[in-house]
Amino acid sequence: MDKNSVTGLALIAIIMIVWLQFMSPAKKPQPQQQATTTGQPAVQASQNTAVAQPLAASFGVFADAAAGKERLTTVENDFFSATLSSKGATLKSLVLKKHLDGNRKPFNLVTNPGKGSLSLLFQTKDGKKIDTRDLFFTSLSADTLRSITGNQTYTVSYRLDVAPGQALDVTYLFSGQSYKVDYDVKMTGFASELAGSEYQLQWDGGLVYTEKNREEEATNALAGAYLGGSLVKLDAGKENQVYREEQSGEAKWVAVRDKYFVAAIIPHERSAGIYLDGRKSAGNHFENYLIALKMGVPSTGGTVDNRYSLYLGPLDYNIMKSQKADLEKIMDFGWDWLTRPFAEFIILPVFNWMNTFIGNYGIIIIIFAFLIKLVTYPLTMASTKSMKKMSALQPMLKELQEKYKDNPAKMQSELGRIYKEAGVNPLGGCLPVLLQMPLLFAMFYVFRSSIQLRQHGFLWANDLSVPDSILNFGFSIPMYGDHIAVFPILMAVTVFIQQKITPTTQTNDQMKVMMYMFPAMMLLFFNNMPAGLGLYYLMFNIFSVAQQFWINKTTTAADIPKISSGPVAAGKSAQKKKGGAKK
């Protein structure tokens, strides 16, 4: 590997480290004082309700519905078990059947099972702020427990009779094999009663954290919306700050996600806007999010009937894409113009295709690394030949640099002539690595964001989505971490071997330092990366070492460049003749 190649690799490694630190979602903090004075009144309804006030003063015409008896209904399908409550017609529990938490135990995605997550929010014209989670509905479904499977469906309906001619109806429709739940809202007789002629449908409380590394999970948690053909993201990354995003317009969805799961509200009709709210308490990694769709209510007309879909499940690209609402956009695959196409059109399709006949993702990763090595073989072959030619040219290049050290323009001209005659590119050694960088970054995003590798083991790695740690220190070493992972160590060894057997044009002290520094940098970088990514690069390097051995063995003298005599050679010949004449 020549000096330019090693310098390029070092710069790439530095870019990778800096990139991880700075490629985080944009954060939009607002002062705490502003948050308490400018937020949507409806969103803050439950917090501002004074329990000590008489019900009539707090709820107006809804006072009779503020007292009652709660009734729970549990619906189980092939993918989850959901518990609904007649108090608020809300969702109080959602336990996934095919996914466990970091301790391999079932978990409830709803963070506040006492109050629930879903509710309608609005303000009446007489100034009453209503959160339907404070109201008791009548359950129209007789079952308290219902199981469905396959193509079966089941409906749970709630009704709130407010006054003659005024009622709220909320209906859930479950399917046997789907993470999607149809959700309908019907408001009768309220067209002229709502302040601002709108209401909000919200999911409150974010999602429960499921992984052992809560700090890492917090970096992946965010609220988002797809509005006007672009993604709006809100990341409450700093403690004791309130983050808000409020926009008008038609939204395809609003959603909240953590590392591997998402809750999304998808409207079937045109929305009036979105509202996102997030905050992070001091000393707690958990980021609490509220997402809401604003829906307009015509001032004329007796009934408003809005339909929605709720997606409550894993961050699975194929399942989310099948919702046909661009919901997969909430998955972070990096730059839309560079790494995302690699993830969506190469990595995920190939992985899904191989998974149809190979059940172990470790084996899939090894095969994928081999396929990538086959694809990049022509580039690697050209790069190696270029470096061998550069190595053969070094004596001539050193002589040229010495002769024209005081004439840079002439030296560059002669260098260009020699490179052209030899058919070499000084940067040829870096090209294969640079072309693979988008793929490497895309794989990092896929392994970090996609649920496919989660809790799938290979060899000593129990989970390919987290580092393959074999020893935890109990304390953290700067830049390295709090554990020892095996795949990064093996990968660093293969990097060192590859450098040893790759042709180089430099033998100075700088190159000797880089021979050890670059593997060390790769070890530090990958120690905290998912085991799947470490396995991929380990196998890619093993295939690269084998390939390099083969190239070195099969390269012949015909690959060494033959340069025609130029000014340098001619000058050297003239000096010899002149010396002979003096004798």
Side-chain angles (χ1 to χ4, degrees):
M1 208 182 303
D2 62 17
K3 182 178 179 181
N4 288 325
S5 300
V6 175
T7 302
L9 290 173
L11 290 173
I12 290 169
I14 294 172
I15 291 171
M16 291 164 66
I17 295 172
V18 174
W19 165 76
L20 283 178
Q21 298 296 322
F22 293 98
M23 284 302 296
S24 58
K27 299 169 183 172
K28 300 185 178 182
Q30 294 184 4
Q32 182 72 29
Q33 183 177 358
Q34 181 183 4
T36 60
T37 58
T38 63
Q40 283 290 328
V43 174
Q44 300 297 329
S46 61
Q47 298 179 5
N48 296 334
T49 300
V51 178
Q53 292 180 343
L55 294 180
S58 299
F59 296 100
V61 296
F62 294 91
D64 291 341
K69 184 177 181 181
E70 183 179 29
R71 184 170 182 265
L72 301 180
T73 301
T74 300
V75 180
E76 293 189 5
N77 69 3
D78 295 334
F79 295 152
F80 57 73
S81 175
T83 300
L84 307 176
S85 171
S86 62
K87 184 180 180 182
T90 188
L91 177 68
K92 303 192 73 170
S93 174
L94 188 86
V95 179
L96 301 179
K97 293 183 176 182
K98 296 182 180 295
H99 301 283
L100 304 175
D101 65 12
N103 296 314
R104 309 297 174 102
K105 296 180 179 180
F107 63 93
N108 179 12
L109 272 178
V110 177
T111 60
N112 187 1
K115 193 166 187 177
S117 290
L118 280 167
S119 66
L120 303 178
L121 305 153
F122 53 86
Q123 182 169 330
T124 61
K125 287 190 175 180
D126 60 355
K128 302 301 184 290
K129 303 168 185 178
I130 305 299
D131 182 333
T132 55
R133 287 177 296 178
D134 297 325
L135 308 177
F136 288 86
F137 286 68
T138 299
S139 177
L140 304 181
S141 305
D143 298 328
T144 58
L145 174 62
R146 184 65 177 264
S147 296
I148 57 176
T149 186
N151 295 324
Q152 296 176 336
T153 59
Y154 183 68
T155 300
V156 180
S157 299
Y158 296 98
R159 183 176 180 85
L160 180 62
D161 290 308
V162 180
Q166 288 185 324
L168 289 177
D169 291 278
V170 174
T171 303
Y172 295 81
L173 176 62
F174 294 87
S175 300
Q177 286 186 324
S178 179
Y179 289 105
K180 184 182 76 170
V181 179
D182 289 330
Y183 181 87
D184 294 346
V185 174
K186 182 182 290 186
M187 307 180 74
T188 303
F190 287 96
S192 60
E193 300 296 327
L194 303 184
S197 297
E198 71 173 26
Y199 73 92
Q200 297 183 21
L201 172 61
Q202 77 162 13
W203 176 282
D204 186 15
L207 292 177
V208 70
Y209 285 2
T210 60
E211 308 307 298
K212 291 182 179 180
N213 190 335
R214 298 301 174 88
E215 183 176 2
E216 181 192 7
E217 189 159 16
T219 63
N220 291 276
L222 58 86
Y226 200 66
L227 184 76
S230 62
L231 181 64
V232 179
K233 293 193 292 187
L234 185 77
D235 183 10
K238 294 183 179 180
E239 298 179 350
N240 296 325
Q241 290 194 24
V242 174
Y243 295 78
R244 280 224 175 97
E245 185 70 50
E246 184 175 3
Q247 295 187 26
S248 300
E250 184 177 4
K252 279 195 170 184
W253 50 262
V254 291
V256 58
R257 58 160 287 183
D258 54 22
K259 187 173 184 181
Y260 291 116
F261 302 96
V262 61
I265 305 174
I266 305 169
H268 291 193
E269 287 87 27
R270 181 183 179 88
S271 67
I274 63 164
Y275 179 83
L276 309 177
D277 182 281
R279 62 196 70 204
K280 183 178 181 180
S281 301
N284 190 346
H285 293 304
F286 181 72
E287 297 176 6
N288 192 357
Y289 291 104
L290 181 150
I291 58 173
L293 278 172
K294 296 181 180 181
M295 303 299 295
V297 177
S299 57
T300 59
T303 301
V304 175
D305 193 353
N306 294 138
R307 296 171 299 152
Y308 307 86
S309 293
L310 309 175
Y311 178 84
L312 310 168
L315 279 166
D316 186 301
Y317 179 84
N318 292 329
I319 299 176
M320 296 171 68
K321 189 175 180 63
S322 68
Q323 307 304 311
K324 298 181 180 179
D326 291 320
L327 185 57
E328 70 278 4
K329 299 293 185 183
I330 200 172
M331 297 186 70
D332 186 9
F333 291 143
W335 298 287
D336 287 342
W337 54 274
L338 183 62
T339 57
R340 192 174 190 97
F342 278 89
E344 289 187 315
F345 303 119
I346 297 178
I347 299 174
L348 287 173
V350 172
F351 271 41
N352 291 331
W353 172 71
M354 287 194 290
N355 189 230
T356 58
F357 52 89
I358 300 176
N360 189 290
Y361 273 99
I363 297 176
I364 290 176
I365 290 172
I366 294 174
I367 296 175
F368 186 79
F370 180 72
L371 293 176
I372 295 300
K373 176 49 64 178
L374 285 180
V375 172
T376 58
Y377 177 79
L379 289 174
T380 306
M381 174 64 79
S383 173
T384 301
K385 288 185 177 181
S386 177
M387 286 188 288
K388 281 184 172 291
K389 291 178 181 180
M390 287 293 296
S391 179
L393 292 175
Q394 285 309 297
M396 183 180 295
L397 296 179
K398 288 182 179 180
E399 185 178 350
L400 183 68
Q401 291 170 354
E402 180 65 26
K403 181 177 180 63
Y404 295 110
K405 61 182 179 181
D406 297 327
N407 190 348
K410 182 65 174 177
M411 182 174 65
Q412 289 300 321
S413 176
E414 287 300 305
L415 286 174
R417 180 185 67 82
I418 292 174
Y419 289 152
K420 183 177 181 180
E421 291 186 14
V424 298
N425 183 350
L427 299 178
C430 291
L431 184 59
V433 177
L434 290 173
L435 292 177
Q436 293 169 43
M437 293 308 295
L439 180 62
L440 173 63
F441 288 146
M443 293 191 70
F444 166 76
Y445 280 113
V446 170
F447 290 175
R448 184 187 68 169
S449 303
S450 181
I451 202 168
Q452 275 83 354
L453 298 182
R454 183 177 184 264
Q455 298 181 356
H456 284 268
F458 181 71
L459 298 178
W460 57 83
N462 295 323
D463 188 343
L464 288 170
S465 67
V466 298
D468 58 315
S469 173
I470 60 169
L471 177 64
N472 293 318
F473 302 138
F475 58 89
S476 181
I477 299 175
M479 296 183 66
Y480 184 69
D482 60 357
H483 61 270
I484 295 177
V486 178
F487 284 141
I489 296 175
L490 298 178
M491 187 199 67
V493 172
T494 60
V495 170
F496 179 80
I497 295 173
Q498 185 179 6
Q499 289 185 122
K500 291 286 287 185
I501 66 174
T502 300
T504 180
T505 61
Q506 303 288 335
T507 58
N508 53 30
D509 292 339
Q510 180 184 6
M511 291 298 300
K512 292 179 180 179
V513 171
M514 287 302 301
M515 186 73 70
Y516 295 94
M517 180 177 295
F518 189 67
M521 293 172 65
M522 293 295 97
L523 173 62
L524 294 175
F525 179 76
F526 279 91
N527 190 65
N528 294 296
M529 293 293 103
L533 190 64
L535 173 62
Y536 165 78
Y537 232 68
L538 168 63
M539 297 308 304
F540 188 87
N541 286 345
I542 289 175
F543 296 140
S544 297
V545 169
Q547 178 180 276
Q548 192 63 56
F549 271 118
W550 171 255
I551 293 175
N552 290 345
K553 184 178 179 180
T554 57
T555 300
T556 64
D559 295 315
I560 305 301
K562 297 178 178 61
I563 309 300
S564 62
S565 298
V568 177
K572 186 175 180 180
S573 175
Q575 289 178 5
K576 286 183 178 181
K577 290 181 179 180
K578 185 177 180 181
K582 285 182 178 181
K583 288 182 180 180

